[in-house]
Amino acid sequence: MSASKYQQCHEELGDVIHDTAWRLMKEAATEEAALARQLGEVTKDNHPYIIVVADDAWSKGSSGV
């Protein structure tokens, strides 16, 4: 495969991956918003919100820090 053909395939595949990821994130956000509304988790302006719980953990990098 030539370098130019590889670059073309790489760009096309990148576009497909990007578009698919964006579509799935939008679908997930729509579902989360609907679930929040069902639970009454909305602001006074009727914007849905979700509660996020974090454990305050931080992964150490390979630099040994």
Side-chain angles (χ1 to χ4, degrees), residues 26-42 46-50:
K26 286 173 64 175
E27 290 174 7
T30 300
E31 183 179 351
E32 287 285 342
L35 291 170
R37 284 189 174 100
Q38 286 177 4
L39 295 172
E41 295 177 345
V42 293
N46 201 33
H47 295 290
Y49 66 88
I50 60 172

Side-chain angles (χ1 to χ4, degrees), residues 6-56:
Y6 174 83
Q7 185 62 32
Q8 177 188 357
C9 292
H10 179 31
E11 290 175 8
E12 289 175 5
L13 181 59
D15 289 342
V16 170
I17 292 170
H18 175 271
D19 294 346
T20 301
W22 188 253
R23 179 180 51 83
L24 292 173
M25 286 187 284
K26 286 173 64 175
E27 290 174 7
T30 300
E31 183 179 351
E32 287 285 342
L35 291 170
R37 284 189 174 100
Q38 286 177 4
L39 295 172
E41 295 177 345
V42 293
T43 65
K44 63 181 179 172
D45 298 326
N46 201 33
H47 295 290
Y49 66 88
I50 60 172
I51 297 171
V52 177
V53 178
D55 66 359
D56 199 31

